[in-house]
Amino acid sequence: MFGLDAIDLARFQFAFTVSFHIVFPALSIGLASFLVALEALWLKTGRDVYHQLYRFWIRIFAVAFGLGVVTGVVMAYEFGTNWSGFAEKGGDITGVLLTYEVLTAFFMEAGFLGIMLFGEQRVSRSVHFFATFMVALGTLISATWILVSNSWMQTPSGYEVVNGRFLPADWLQVIFNPSFPYRFVHMVMAAYICVAFLVAGVGAYHLLRDRKNEGARTMLSLAMWMAIVAMPIQIVAGDLHGLNTLHHQPAKLAAMEGYWGPEAGKEGDGVPLTLFALPNMAEGKNDFAIEVPHVASLYLTHSWSGQIQGLSEFKDEIPDVPLVFWSFRVMVGLGMLMLLLSMVGALLRWRGRLYDQKLFHRVLMCLSPVGFVALVAGWVTTEAGRQPWVIYGLLKTRDAASYLGAGSLTISLLAFLVVYAVIFSIGIYYMLQLIRKEPTAPLPQGGPGEERHPKRPMSATSESIDG
């Protein structure tokens, strides 16, 4: 297929499925915590608008959670079919970590999800809030184990090699491997920021339709608070994560910076910040580079002339530099854009005009998916930057792949493209239909002990989305 060999096709297939999948867990993590906040505000203040918004967003959460589970199961099978070398050599550690995720997080989420979705009129408010909190906690625990596994593959520690297999020697070192704390904070903050701009965009959409809508005003306000708090934390976490990458994965860091090494006779010039370039892997240099001298030295080494290892020092063990270089810039560029929007929102709030600026609302509405684009770009940066290693420094990608032909991988890849296109289209269409609905719809009557029958389990509602 397009001249790609079996390993390239297997990599593309996994990249496609994981890029599709990661959107929904991020949406679930952010929305679950947002729902906890809404229900807590409702219980504390008694204001119906928080209850109405809870019921509005829980439907979207249910769809995202379901799609996240379905798309995640596919990846587990891919480990066995396309990456049997990885499963054989690294499964004694990563397989156990993923089992912990199922036992400690998935069962918790599944157990309380039913009460959260269908128990509002059947259990007390405190019990229902506890269920919502446990589901949100479950999403964070799930993220913990997934990121422990991924971080161990990026910065392996606490293992021993026995007959070519990587076995756990110290589980604490495996779990608290060098990059896990930075990767966990960076990912969770990314999920919160994604949801903040999604909620802000939806609030702006309804505000443009009805400027007095209390639900839309509350959504926009809460989302902009979330963004202005989370963005600075994310920038600090990203900087610390970058320093950790410099120490443990210098080739990835060099690819992110597009830095091939100092030119002859210019060792003392430091590392420039490359704003734009076309990395040329054949010649080992950048074409059409626009650079700011010394700036990368300042934020990477905190020194005017500090040096880092250039890509030329790693010979053939470097990732696809153009892919890593540009995906990193997409992530950072969109992050700066979201920071600017957060600051504009704070300024408008301070001037008492947060709900009156139509241009700002239109921008927020158009950019509501921007956090997810940045999230996928960041994921591409970290995963493509690890190449040619699957387990960094221990197992190369070519040794982790199964002995499959290009023909069978092409067929399975095409099947995934078709099935995922259908699932994604239906899921997004359904979410858009839910988003279009009135956020301050009348609350249901009744309470615990009164029997109610939702028409569709996924919508968790007694009314049609078409009504």
Side-chain angles (χ1 to χ4, degrees), residues 1 13 22 27 39 54 64 70 74 95 97 100 110 119 124 129 177 189 227 261 272 308 312 346 388 403 406 445:
M1 182 179 182
Q13 185 179 114
I22 193 174
L27 186 53
E39 192 164 14
Y54 179 91
V70 171
V74 173
L97 295 174
Y100 287 164
S124 68
F129 174 71
N177 62 79
M189 282 296 110
I308 65 172
S312 58
Y403 294 102
Q445 300 299 314

Side-chain angles (χ1 to χ4, degrees), residues 290-310:
I290 300 176
E291 300 176 337
V292 183
H294 296 282
V295 173
S297 284
L298 285 177
Y299 63 74
L300 291 174
T301 68
H302 299 175
S303 168
W304 181 250
S305 299
Q307 279 293 336
I308 65 172
Q309 289 180 276

Side-chain angles (χ1 to χ4, degrees), residues 209-274:
R209 298 172 73 186
D210 177 8
R211 310 204 68 76
K212 300 297 183 184
N213 188 298
E214 186 181 9
R217 295 164 77 96
T218 304
M219 263 196 282
L220 181 62
S221 177
L222 292 175
M224 296 316 296
W225 275 122
M226 190 188 304
I228 198 63
V229 171
M231 284 305 305
I233 297 174
Q234 181 70 319
I235 291 172
V236 173
D239 181 61
L240 294 174
H241 191 16
L243 294 175
N244 180 267
T245 304
L246 171 63
H247 184 69
H248 294 281
Q249 295 178 296
K252 178 194 290 188
L253 195 283
M256 290 160 62
E257 297 295 332
Y259 183 64
W260 298 89
E263 296 181 22
K266 294 185 177 181
E267 285 79 2
D269 286 352
V271 182
L273 168 62
T274 304

Side-chain angles (χ1 to χ4, degrees), residues 29-30 140 143 147 183-193 234:
I29 293 169
L140 292 173
L147 289 169
R183 204 177 302 277
F184 176 77
V185 175
H186 200 47
M187 182 64 196
V188 172
M189 282 296 110
Y192 287 161
I193 291 168
Q234 181 70 319

Side-chain angles (χ1 to χ4, degrees), residues 115-294:
I115 300 175
M116 181 182 175
L117 293 177
F118 308 115
E120 188 181 339
Q121 302 300 309
R122 294 179 169 82
V123 299
S124 68
R125 290 181 178 183
S126 58
V127 171
H128 191 266
F129 174 71
F130 180 73
T132 305
F133 177 81
M134 293 304 286
V135 169
L137 180 62
T139 63
L140 292 173
I141 294 175
S142 177
T144 299
W145 289 117
I146 295 297
L147 289 169
V148 164
S149 178
N150 182 266
S151 299
W152 184 82
M153 293 166 65
Q154 304 274 351
T155 54
S157 63
Y159 67 90
E160 59 182 353
V161 182
V162 179
N163 297 326
R165 294 167 56 182
F166 309 117
L167 304 181
D170 186 334
W171 273 111
L172 285 179
Q173 287 189 34
V174 169
I175 294 171
F176 298 102
N177 62 79
S179 66
F180 166 67
Y182 307 100
R183 204 177 302 277
F184 176 77
V185 175
H186 200 47
M187 182 64 196
V188 172
M189 282 296 110
Y192 287 161
I193 291 168
C194 287
V195 168
F197 280 89
L198 175 65
V199 173
V202 174
Y205 166 73
H206 285 286
L207 206 54
L208 288 168
R209 298 172 73 186
D210 177 8
R211 310 204 68 76
K212 300 297 183 184
N213 188 298
E214 186 181 9
R217 295 164 77 96
T218 304
M219 263 196 282
L220 181 62
S221 177
L222 292 175
M224 296 316 296
W225 275 122
M226 190 188 304
I228 198 63
V229 171
M231 284 305 305
I233 297 174
Q234 181 70 319
I235 291 172
V236 173
D239 181 61
L240 294 174
H241 191 16
L243 294 175
N244 180 267
T245 304
L246 171 63
H247 184 69
H248 294 281
Q249 295 178 296
K252 178 194 290 188
L253 195 283
M256 290 160 62
E257 297 295 332
Y259 183 64
W260 298 89
E263 296 181 22
K266 294 185 177 181
E267 285 79 2
D269 286 352
V271 182
L273 168 62
T274 304
L275 297 174
F276 176 89
L278 299 178
N280 186 333
M281 294 188 67
E283 299 184 16
K285 67 184 184 67
N286 292 330
D287 295 330
F288 310 107
I290 300 176
E291 300 176 337
V292 183
H294 296 282

